[in-house]
Amino acid sequence: MSEIVKTPEPPYYAVIFTSVRMEDDNGYSKMADEMVALVSKQPGFLGYESVRGIDGFGITVSYWESLDAIKRWKDDPLHQIAQNMGKEIWYKHFATRICKVERDNFQTGGHE
Amino acid sequence: MSEIVKTPEPPYYAVIFTSVRMEDDNGYSKMADEMVALVSKQPGFLGYESVRGIDGFGITVSYWESLDAIKRWKDDPLHQIAQNMGKEIWYKHFATRICKVERDNFQTGGHE
């Protein structure tokens, strides 16, 4: 299960990646595991939150210290291969949005 | 199924709402339907994308023309009631992040 990332005080950056998967795996799961291992070592990476529904629609949000850190990750050679395979094989449609997080608010429910 | 929202040229705003649901419904589904109907009528609302996993972890991203539009929605009286019930009854934990979308990129996979 994904968890809510404990990000630092704003401002920081978020990449909202919304996608619709193709039905067949075609190596997606293995590459996804590799990307998680790789991104976790990236300078400026703060964490990610991810959910995919059984209908193939998914949202992944990754958090970053800076736009430079996002650009370095985008340009990573292995990540470039994954991006190309995503475009060619794994996704029907996707959108990437680069955002500056200006404010945030974390809460725990009143039952606890 | 949620769909990728066709947002306008940046800049625009996003609210990333990440949450972990309690197991019982307790009126959540009915209120969620009402909130979708209500938010769709809000000035400055551009659309939303939402996924929840079977483990209760969910991400909803709503898109807005301006920070003022986000504030008006936050202050809506019925939405205020929903926010309080979310905090008291429906969510174990949640985080809200207010973001300025600075760049975006939409693509359709190479198979089509």
Side-chain angles (χ1 to χ4, degrees):
Chain A
M1 173 165 162
S2 202
E3 291 190 357
I4 295 173
V5 177
K6 290 174 182 61
T7 36
E9 288 290 304
Y12 51 93
Y13 290 84
V15 179
I16 304 171
F17 180 74
T18 317
S19 62
V20 181
R21 277 285 316 280
M22 300 291 286
E23 285 180 22
D24 294 335
D25 188 79
N26 275 329
Y28 171 84
S29 300
K30 184 168 182 293
M31 182 66 96
D33 289 345
E34 288 186 22
M35 286 303 108
V36 167
L38 191 62
V39 76
S40 301
K41 291 185 245 171
Q42 289 291 308
F45 175 70
L46 300 172
Y48 78 102
E49 299 162 342
S50 187
V51 197
R52 187 169 305 279
I54 51 173
D55 59 7
F57 186 83
I59 303 175
T60 296
V61 187
S62 59
Y63 299 101
W64 299 87
E65 285 180 2
S66 68
L67 290 173
D68 279 351
I70 293 171
K71 175 145 183 32
R72 278 196 301 270
W73 172 234
K74 186 186 178 191
D75 294 343
D76 176 275
L78 196 55
H79 186 210
Q80 285 271 340
I81 293 171
Q83 288 173 66
N84 287 336
M85 292 183 73
K87 186 174 175 181
E88 297 300 327
I89 301 173
W90 294 321
Y91 299 117
K92 291 182 188 172
H93 311 282
F94 58 94
T96 310
R97 294 178 172 100
I98 313 292
C99 314
K100 182 178 188 177
V101 181
E102 300 188 343
R103 287 206 313 276
D104 60 19
N105 179 31
F106 295 80
Q107 294 207 37
T108 293
H111 61 286
E112 290 186 326
Chain B
M1 173 164 163
S2 201
E3 292 189 357
I4 295 173
V5 176
K6 290 174 181 61
T7 36
E9 287 291 304
Y12 52 92
Y13 290 84
V15 179
I16 304 170
F17 180 74
T18 317
S19 62
V20 181
R21 277 284 316 280
M22 299 292 286
E23 286 180 22
D24 295 336
D25 188 80
N26 276 328
Y28 171 83
S29 300
K30 184 168 182 294
M31 181 66 96
D33 289 345
E34 288 185 23
M35 286 302 108
V36 167
L38 191 61
V39 77
S40 302
K41 291 185 243 171
Q42 289 292 308
F45 175 70
L46 300 172
Y48 78 103
E49 299 162 341
S50 188
V51 197
R52 188 169 303 281
I54 50 172
D55 59 7
F57 186 83
I59 303 176
T60 296
V61 187
S62 59
Y63 300 101
W64 300 86
E65 285 180 2
S66 66
L67 290 174
D68 280 350
I70 293 171
K71 176 148 182 30
R72 280 195 300 270
W73 171 235
K74 185 186 177 189
D75 294 343
D76 175 275
L78 196 55
H79 186 210
Q80 285 272 339
I81 292 170
Q83 288 173 67
N84 288 335
M85 292 184 72
K87 186 174 175 180
E88 297 300 327
I89 300 173
W90 293 321
Y91 299 118
K92 291 181 188 172
H93 311 282
F94 59 94
T96 310
R97 293 179 172 99
I98 313 291
C99 315
K100 182 178 188 178
V101 181
E102 301 188 343
R103 287 206 314 277
D104 60 19
N105 179 32
F106 295 79
Q107 294 207 36
T108 293
H111 61 286
E112 291 185 328

